[in-house]
């Protein structure tokens, strides 16, 4: 496996820091918890999509695209990072935003990531929730192509084998950092959505034979569906890298018990996790992804599934820009008052 064989634009601030979370670890009294700061990838408030876009946007540039098109939920972090990357390259960006929550909160609909999409010069159009958004995207792209545009389309979350290469790279980076510092990683956990992050990590970890179990905390789909989509993408990513067959179905683990009512709808444990990270570590999570991933992590520690003496790494995938679209969740009470 040799990632340098694939076109890539080196725009992310890498390597992202790997840091201990001492106050959170002490508060929970279980394992040593570390954080891999992929919220610090540098592009327009950072996040995990930047690593994927290094490979995706290199393909766009190589094909001579004059516009990239992608899709996501209203407060999509992927959309915002794509818009920022496109502006850096001088390529136009058009985004289809899916109204998955039905919220009519003006901050949800215009602030946070939506504000940043527009600041980066992207154009947006809205779709009702529940459509096949990648099909909607291709239809809009085809119309533009018929008008003579050179369009590069990026699927939701940048999750295809090209985008997943960014997280193969992250696995190499993380294991390298741990090796250099003599840190044994017993568990790696992260939020999982459109699957590219988890799929890429699995392929990288397997290629290194690192034997680090990876658990994805789901944010939308039920467990079977989530694991199937991660497995399918991991296999396709391994094929792309010429290491077919290194990923087994048993390597894919997702826990989707922290989703709550649905995508983009925070639960009380999501909010508690956001407050704990903010108050104990000065780290901002988001209510859609990293807050749910962190809620899963905290619950696993409390239930003794991650134990004293172990070391757990939480991959922070970013998303804090969405907080400004969800400000209502945090009106008033600090952590102490919110705890039951
Ligand atoms: C997109 C996203 C995820 C999920 O990553 P996938 O590769 O889509 O599974 C997690 N956290 C944040 C903040 C994201 O924006």
């Amino acid at each position: 496996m040799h990632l340098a064989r694939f076109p890539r634009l080196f725009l992310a601030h890498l390597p992202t820091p790997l840091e201990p979370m001492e106050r959170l670890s002490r508060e929970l009294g279980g394992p040593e918890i570390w954080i891999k700061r992929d919220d610090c990838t540098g592009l327009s408030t950072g996040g995990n999509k930047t690593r994927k876009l290094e490979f995706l946007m290199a393909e766009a540039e190589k094909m001579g695209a004059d516009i990239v098109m992608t899709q996501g939920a209203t407060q999509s972090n992927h959309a915002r990072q794509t818009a920022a990357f496109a502006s850096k390259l001088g390529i136009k960006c058009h985004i289809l935003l899916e109204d998955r929550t039905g919220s009519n909160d003006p901050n949800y609909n215009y602030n946070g990531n939506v504000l940043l999409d527009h600041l980066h010069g992207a154009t947006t159009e809205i779709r009702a929730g529940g459509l096949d958004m990648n099909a909607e995207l291709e239809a809009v792209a085809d119309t533009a192509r018929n008008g003579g545009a050179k369009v590069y389309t990026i699927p939701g979350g940048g999750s295809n084998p090209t985008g997943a290469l960014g997280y193969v790279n992250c696995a190499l980076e993380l294991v390298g950092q741990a090796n250099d510092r003599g840190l044994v990683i017993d568990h790696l956990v992260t939020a999982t959505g459109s699957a590219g992050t988890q799929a890429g990590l699995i392929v990288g970890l397997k290629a290194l034979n690192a034997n680090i179990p990876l658990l994805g905390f789901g944010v939308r789909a039920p467990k079977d569906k989530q694991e199937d989509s991660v497995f399918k993408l991991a296999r396709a990513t391994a094929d792309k890298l010429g290491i077919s067959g290194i990923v087994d179905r048993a390597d894919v683990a997702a826990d989707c018990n922290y989703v709550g009512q649905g995508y983009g709808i925070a639960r009380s444990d999501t909010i508690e996790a956001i407050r704990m990270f903010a108050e104990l570590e000065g780290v901002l999570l988001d209510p859609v992804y990293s807050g749910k991933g962190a809620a899963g992590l905290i619950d696993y520690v409390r239930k003794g599934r991650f134990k004293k003496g172990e070391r757990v790494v939480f991959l922070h995938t970013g998303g804090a820009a969405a907080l400004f679209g969800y400000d209502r969740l945090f009106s008033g009470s600090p952590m102490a008052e919110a705890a039951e």
Side-chain angles (χ1 to χ4, degrees), residues 47-49 52 75-78 80-81 156-159 167 190-199 219 226 230 263 286 288-290 316-320:
N48 64 339
K49 302 314 179 307
K52 303 179 184 183
Q75 282 294 334
S76 167
N77 303 297
H78 163 67
R80 178 247 313 157
Q81 287 161 83
S159 285
Y167 272 87
T190 190
T192 183
S194 66
T197 301
Q198 191 177 359
V219 300
Q226 186 65 27
V230 172
Y263 176 90
D286 78 279
V288 184
Y289 298 97
S290 56
H316 187 347
T317 44

Side-chain angles (χ1 to χ4, degrees), residues 131-145:
L131 294 169
D132 178 344
M133 286 296 289
N134 282 332
E136 294 291 311
L137 173 67
E138 289 306 327
V140 173
D142 283 341
T143 306
R145 284 181 188 119

Side-chain angles (χ1 to χ4, degrees), residues 65 176 231:
F231 181 49

